[in-house]
Amino acid sequence: MQRLGYPARTIVVFAALLALAVHWFVQPFGKEWIWLSTVGILIVAACLVGWRTRQLSRARRSSADLLTALGAATVDIPLNLRTRMPLVLVTGDALASIFDHGAGKPRLVLIGDGAIWLRVDRPQDLPGVALAMRQWRDGQPPDGVVLSMAPALHADADVLSQSLRVVRQALADASRIVSARLPGYVAVYQRLTRLAPADANAALRWHSVSSATPLIDAQRIEAVIRNAESEARRQAGDRYASAHAAALASIIGWTQRVVFGTLTDPRQPATPWALYGAGWIDCGPASDATRPWEQDVQRQTCIAPASVDATPAPWPLPQSLIEAMPRRIPASPRAKAFAHAIGITALAAGLAFLGSGRHNAALLDRVQANLARFASLTPDHDAARRDALQALVADRDELDRYARTGVPLRLSFGLYHGAQLLPALNTAIASYQPPPPPAVVTLDSMSLFDSGKAQLRLGSTRTLVDAVEMIKSHPGKRILVAGHTDNVGDAASNLKLSNARAAALRDWLIEASGIPATQFAVQGYGDTRPIVANDTPEGRAKNRRVEITLVPDSANGSN
């Protein structure tokens, strides 16, 4: 049974929905970007989900046989032990001899002492197998990669170096695809001598060094040689021990120069191997003086090593290499997804707080600017004050609506302080007093003009003294002189007469008051604006009039 891995598509959909919710309800970047950003979020989410779906489908197809074999081999292992037992990928040379454990053909999987060993026939398959193992192990990547080295299977050193570069690149790709550093190990299978040990099992013993950190230094490897030499001294009469110690020192030196040098050289393009362990065993394929290590021995000593026969299969697994293997703390993909969901939620909350803060700052700045504008206008600029008053009323109504129906999300999250401005708005609105109505002096036309005439009567100016005093007491005002008639006679004639009488009165006021003519305006209305009905002589007498009205001067800033 295969457990589910990391729910990447669910996380992508969750992040997209959360982003849309924040974007629509909080609008951290403003309304003008809302539709463009929505389309962008949906496109990115769809692309990520589609890419992940294709990746999973391709991985399932490519690893179907592998997972079937793993399931059959590990049927007796409890499901929760898959992530706790070390899983090691083995690639390189002579895998058939290592995994040939009496099944008639090399096995794909071996369950060793406390570890699961998985054969990878081609180094190029390491990335795909590593990804499949991460899915099979509930999101946990393999614990290490062992390179099986059988120098006798290589024709010369150049071919060997090229194969090592392929393995190096494959491990770098595998580490990248599973997003984890995979520890590397080197297991060298090489017949060291034609002599047979007194103890048949001595030849099948590993001489190894391993560490919990990527450190394979000269001192640690030198300790392997010293241990072999000490054992040879203890067995002074044993020819095998002496020959074995000498050959082991030679193969270790060759491995450091040729194998480790190629795998860890920082000048190579691929990421250097992180070597956590290495081991050597007097076991391997048939070999002669034409093979890379033997040729190196011949160059060093001028002695050609003797040909040796192959060790019968199966060859021992390098169990000692992984004894100090670093242990990862297993984490469930669901736990990782939950942590990522919390992180995404925290990010969305941060954007929501940021957007709410911006909107609240804009609201406070707008209301305070409207209050300051209203306070800066003097009563004689009433038109501008009315405009500012309308803005204050709109602000007050908006804040009052929030108080009654609730604050919208784009202003909430504990950052809303608009209620504090309501008293100031109400006070400013209540302080507005409309200006008094224009001062109007109504004069009886019959007391100023003869019937049908537009020249002032002699002596009629006495009645105009009060009008002159009123005009002088209101400097800065414009003076509108308007003439009116009753409806007796022709309307056009009445209009002309009313305009002429207003002009005559204006001319006299200019002369009497000394006020510039630019402050005066003349308007004749004829019989179009009666104040009472023209049905009676008394009504017609009241409608025959001249009105002097003081209005604010638009040149002083009023409309």
Side-chain angles (χ1 to χ4, degrees), residues 522-544:
V522 172
Q523 182 67 55
Y525 293 101
D527 57 7
T528 60
R529 294 189 178 183
I531 55 176
V532 295
N534 285 298
D535 298 340
T536 62
E538 293 79 7
R540 289 191 291 273
K542 290 183 178 182
N543 289 330
R544 295 189 295 268

Side-chain angles (χ1 to χ4, degrees), residues 51-121:
W51 171 78
R52 181 59 176 173
T53 300
R54 288 180 54 195
Q55 185 186 48
L56 290 176
S57 178
R58 186 167 58 247
R60 290 192 185 100
R61 289 194 302 268
S62 62
S63 60
D65 295 339
L66 175 63
L67 295 178
T68 301
L70 270 172
T74 59
V75 66
D76 296 329
I77 300 177
L79 203 58
N80 59 357
L81 286 182
R82 291 180 184 176
T83 58
R84 284 187 270 178
M85 287 185 67
L87 187 144
V88 183
L89 307 182
V90 184
T91 190
D93 302 331
L95 298 184
S97 297
I98 299 172
F99 284 81
D100 183 5
H101 280 240
K105 63 177 182 179
R107 293 183 181 179
L108 181 64
V109 181
L110 290 177
I111 308 299
D113 294 335
I116 302 173
W117 301 81
L118 179 64
R119 190 183 85 232
V120 182
D121 292 322

Side-chain angles (χ1 to χ4, degrees), residues 9 28 75 82 87 89 242 264 290 298 326 342 391 445 457 509:
R9 290 174 292 185
V75 66
R82 291 180 184 176
L87 187 144
L89 307 182
S242 300
T264 61
T290 64
Q298 190 171 359
I342 292 177
S445 295
R457 289 179 180 179
L509 290 173

Side-chain angles (χ1 to χ4, degrees), residues 208-213 215-225:
S208 61
V209 58
S210 63
S211 173
T213 58
L215 180 63
I216 302 296
D217 55 27
Q219 291 182 353
R220 292 183 180 223
I221 296 176
E222 188 68 25
V224 178
I225 300 175

Side-chain angles (χ1 to χ4, degrees), residues 193-246:
T193 176
R194 294 181 62 183
L195 300 175
D199 181 2
N201 294 325
L204 300 180
R205 183 166 59 88
W206 282 97
H207 301 271
S208 61
V209 58
S210 63
S211 173
T213 58
L215 180 63
I216 302 296
D217 55 27
Q219 291 182 353
R220 292 183 180 223
I221 296 176
E222 188 68 25
V224 178
I225 300 175
R226 288 197 301 268
N227 290 337
E229 291 174 345
S230 298
E231 185 175 350
R233 284 193 294 269
R234 286 195 302 269
Q235 302 176 14
D238 190 343
R239 294 177 56 197
Y240 171 80
S242 300
H244 177 269

Side-chain angles (χ1 to χ4, degrees), residues 324-372:
M325 174 179 285
R327 303 298 184 186
R328 295 189 180 95
I329 299 176
S332 168
R334 265 73 65 197
K336 291 181 181 179
F338 181 71
H340 292 163
I342 292 177
I344 294 171
T345 303
L347 177 61
L351 287 175
F353 276 102
L354 175 64
S356 180
R358 292 179 57 191
H359 293 313
N360 276 285
L363 174 66
L364 296 179
D365 290 346
R366 171 166 56 86
V367 174
Q368 290 170 349
N370 289 339
L371 284 169

Side-chain angles (χ1 to χ4, degrees), residues 480-499:
L480 174 62
V481 182
H484 302 269
T485 67
D486 57 23
N487 63 350
V488 176
D490 179 60
S493 299
N494 289 336
L495 180 62
K496 182 177 179 181
L497 178 62
S498 65
N499 193 71

